[in-house]
Amino acid sequence: MKKAILENTGHGSLGNKIFNILRDRILNEEYAKGQKLNEVALSKELQISRTPIREALKQLELEGLVRSEPNKGVFVIGFSHRDINDMLEIRYVLEALAVELAIERINSVQLDKIKEAYLAMEEASKVRDQDKFNDANIAFHESIYKGTQSQYFEQLLRDINYYIHVTSRHSIKQPNRLDSAAIEHREIYEAILAGDKKRAVEKVKKHIRKTQFLVKHYYESKDN
Amino acid sequence: MKKAILENTGHGSLGNKIFNILRDRILNEEYAKGQKLNEVALSKELQISRTPIREALKQLELEGLVRSEPNKGVFVIGFSHRDINDMLEIRYVLEALAVELAIERINSVQLDKIKEAYLAMEEASKVRDQDKFNDANIAFHESIYKGTQSQYFEQLLRDINYYIHVTSRHSIKQPNRLDSAAIEHREIYEAILAGDKKRAVEKVKKHIRKTQFLVKHYYESKDN
DNA sequence: TATACTATAATTGTATACAATTAGGAGGTA
DNA sequence: TACCTCCTAATTGTATACAATTATAGTATA
């Protein structure tokens, strides 16, 4: 799964590879909030020059994962539970908009990919393969984004979705979540296929709200 | 106005300055869609080394203004009318969400800044100062974003808003638009002050829809 | 002891040098 | 002419060198 994400993100330059490494470290909380990321230390650790390191840090800054202070360095920002919840709120409204646009504009190839992703989810749900399920889940939603035919919208949602998946991936390990999630995605797919905007939006909203609830529940139980 | 945007974006490193220059060139369509941005050519033209140029190009890529092909270079993507309209759709749902969150979380200092920005808009509208009005307009909305207390949300909306303002700034030069826009912002401010979420969302939505209509109208008349 | 100053080291910002990849054309062949 | 191959130049990717800024420690002074 990690590999899949790594490969479809940017091209294979060193800078992009480092970006992926550092991003995952931050999202997995391997760096403390506020910690400074030293360029030479990183270049020594990763055995490369400072140039690709700086590229990756720039990218992280633009993604909002670190902040850069002039002549001082970059510092890890980190995510609070509220931040994750805010992102899910953003995703809630954007996915609803995306599915509407997608229904207007999607072509048959992209529609097939949604179906394919949905079938993979169902299969993964049956054999209880969490990783495979996650991959299919991501593929499902990204196919919808692609269906909007808007590079900008697609990119925006993919980024948001990435953070949500990484930060909350532990939270969806409830026993029967795979099954119910598969059903929810099936409902979304069928609504899109039928070209029924209203129903599709409704099903998407229901799905995101449920995810949001589970994530919230997970973090609250963790705090106790 | 250009200066104002330049100064509050990132810090004063060369890379950031170049980024601003190139971004404005792209948004003002000084580069054709699909055009390649050559690193050495740019470094010669701007009299600096390739390093800051590459930084800026990386930033542009992350903002979705150019695409980068490995070992080939970066190419201008450009915006269609539909892209701009899509952005306004995104803004429509996100600003509505932002004002809701802001009402829950905003502090008095940020509230004062909204008021200040609104008063500046009213003043600019009276003296028919388009540039001053635009600045105040940006400040008004950014104060709301800040009120959400979410760095990520704030950054996201600021970026989207920037593109919309630059790409559609010519379209709002209708004679009485300043007056009506000032009123719309006043209504939004008052709803926030009253803590009335429902009314605030309604007023924001009305405002964005009107902007969207004017932009659309402008581009359609331009095409004929 | 606390504070201010200075020198030095560490770190970031920028320029340049080198490596790897790609683009384009000259020349040959069918 | 059309197409292929190879060579060279141009371009991007990476490493290193240098400049500018900031952090740190030690010393002097009140």
Side-chain angles (χ1 to χ4, degrees):
Chain A
M1 150 141 189
K2 197 171 178 180
K3 196 161 161 261
I5 289 173
L6 216 152
E7 281 180 353
N8 73 9
T9 307
H11 52 75
S13 74
L14 273 175
N16 277 307
K17 289 203 181 89
I18 306 301
F19 166 74
N20 282 293
I21 291 173
L22 295 181
R23 176 170 69 170
D24 284 340
R25 284 186 183 178
I26 292 172
L27 293 176
N28 288 319
E29 299 184 340
E30 290 174 37
Y31 293 129
K33 190 178 298 189
Q35 180 175 341
K36 180 177 172 182
L37 298 183
N38 183 295
E39 293 177 5
V40 294
L42 283 171
S43 70
K44 275 180 188 166
E45 182 204 338
L46 300 168
Q47 306 274 17
I48 54 168
S49 80
R50 273 174 60 217
T51 308
I53 300 282
R54 284 177 63 83
E55 256 186 61
L57 293 177
K58 190 94 202 167
Q59 224 163 324
L60 290 170
E61 183 191 352
L62 278 253
E63 295 272 341
L65 289 172
V66 302
R67 69 173 196 284
S68 162
E69 291 185 31
N71 295 312
K72 291 196 174 174
V74 307
F75 302 84
V76 175
I77 288 181
F79 285 88
S80 67
H81 303 166
R82 198 180 75 177
D83 289 328
I84 295 170
N85 193 58
D86 285 353
M87 278 195 185
L88 278 160
E89 287 287 343
I90 292 171
R91 190 184 165 202
Y92 180 79
V93 296
L94 289 186
E95 289 251 0
L97 179 55
V99 79
E100 268 194 303
L101 281 182
I103 285 178
E104 285 177 13
R105 302 174 180 173
I106 199 165
N107 61 41
S108 58
V109 177
Q110 291 161 335
L111 201 55
D112 280 347
K113 286 206 174 172
I114 297 181
K115 186 178 183 181
E116 203 178 291
Y118 155 66
L119 291 174
M121 289 175 82
E122 205 166 45
E123 177 59 27
S125 146
K126 269 186 197 147
V127 299
R128 290 282 181 271
D129 186 336
Q130 183 87 41
D131 284 343
K132 192 179 166 193
F133 187 91
N134 284 341
D135 285 345
N137 191 5
I138 291 173
F140 183 93
H141 288 280
E142 289 196 354
S143 299
I144 294 178
Y145 310 157
K146 273 201 172 29
T148 65
Q149 317 291 358
S150 161
Q151 336 91 306
Y152 185 81
F153 203 2
E154 185 188 334
Q155 186 182 318
L156 182 62
L157 266 165
R158 186 172 346 146
D159 286 345
I160 293 173
N161 216 2
Y162 180 85
Y163 294 127
I164 290 169
H165 272 95
V166 174
T167 53
S168 65
R169 95 193 107 93
H170 302 299
S171 65
I172 50 166
K173 290 189 177 168
Q174 273 90 347
N176 298 319
R177 180 54 187 153
L178 295 193
D179 298 327
S180 61
I183 292 172
E184 288 165 26
H185 285 88
R186 179 180 180 175
E187 289 175 341
I188 294 170
Y189 167 66
E190 284 173 350
I192 293 173
L193 194 66
D196 188 338
K197 275 195 201 177
K198 198 177 157 192
R199 195 169 96 223
V201 168
E202 180 194 314
K203 295 300 182 187
V204 165
K205 284 188 169 176
K206 179 181 145 198
H207 170 60
I208 309 285
R209 275 283 178 261
K210 186 148 186 186
T211 304
Q212 191 174 21
F213 173 79
L214 290 172
V215 171
K216 224 173 192 167
H217 186 74
Y218 169 77
Y219 280 119
E220 278 165 6
S221 68
K222 205 176 136 193
D223 284 344
N224 297 336
Chain B
M1 150 139 188
K2 198 169 179 181
K3 196 163 160 260
I5 288 173
L6 216 153
E7 281 179 354
N8 73 8
T9 306
H11 50 76
S13 75
L14 272 177
N16 277 308
K17 289 203 181 91
I18 305 301
F19 166 74
N20 282 294
I21 291 172
L22 294 181
R23 177 169 68 170
D24 284 340
R25 284 186 183 179
I26 292 173
L27 293 176
N28 289 320
E29 299 183 340
E30 290 175 38
Y31 294 129
K33 188 178 299 187
Q35 181 175 342
K36 180 176 172 183
L37 298 183
N38 183 294
E39 294 177 6
V40 295
L42 284 171
S43 70
K44 275 180 188 166
E45 182 205 339
L46 299 167
Q47 306 274 20
I48 56 170
S49 80
R50 274 174 59 215
T51 307
I53 301 282
R54 284 177 63 83
E55 260 189 58
L57 292 178
K58 189 95 201 168
Q59 223 163 324
L60 289 171
E61 184 191 352
L62 273 263
E63 296 272 342
L65 290 172
V66 302
R67 69 173 196 286
S68 161
E69 291 186 31
N71 294 313
K72 291 197 175 174
V74 306
F75 302 84
V76 175
I77 288 181
F79 286 89
S80 67
H81 303 165
R82 196 179 78 177
D83 289 329
I84 295 169
N85 192 58
D86 285 353
M87 278 194 183
L88 278 159
E89 287 288 343
I90 293 172
R91 191 183 165 202
Y92 180 79
V93 297
L94 289 186
E95 289 252 1
L97 179 56
V99 79
E100 269 193 304
L101 281 182
I103 285 178
E104 285 176 14
R105 301 174 181 173
I106 199 166
N107 61 41
S108 58
V109 176
Q110 291 162 336
L111 202 55
D112 281 347
K113 287 205 172 171
I114 297 181
K115 187 179 183 180
E116 204 178 292
Y118 156 64
L119 291 174
M121 288 175 83
E122 206 166 44
E123 176 60 26
S125 144
K126 268 186 199 147
V127 299
R128 290 283 180 270
D129 185 337
Q130 182 87 40
D131 284 343
K132 193 179 164 192
F133 188 91
N134 284 340
D135 285 346
N137 190 5
I138 290 173
F140 184 93
H141 288 280
E142 289 196 354
S143 299
I144 294 178
Y145 310 157
K146 274 201 171 29
T148 65
Q149 318 290 358
S150 161
Q151 337 91 306
Y152 185 80
F153 204 1
E154 185 189 335
Q155 186 182 317
L156 182 63
L157 266 165
R158 186 172 346 149
D159 287 344
I160 292 174
N161 216 3
Y162 180 85
Y163 295 127
I164 291 169
H165 271 95
V166 174
T167 52
S168 64
R169 96 193 106 94
H170 301 298
S171 65
I172 51 169
K173 289 189 177 167
Q174 274 90 345
N176 299 318
R177 180 55 188 153
L178 295 193
D179 298 326
S180 63
I183 292 172
E184 289 164 25
H185 286 87
R186 179 181 181 175
E187 289 174 341
I188 293 170
Y189 167 68
E190 285 174 350
I192 294 173
L193 194 66
D196 187 338
K197 277 194 202 178
K198 198 177 158 193
R199 196 170 93 222
V201 168
E202 180 194 313
K203 296 298 182 188
V204 164
K205 284 187 170 177
K206 180 181 144 198
H207 170 61
I208 308 285
R209 275 282 178 261
K210 186 147 187 187
T211 304
Q212 191 174 19
F213 173 79
L214 290 172
V215 171
K216 224 173 190 167
H217 186 73
Y218 169 77
Y219 280 118
E220 277 164 7
S221 67
K222 206 175 135 194
D223 284 345
N224 298 338

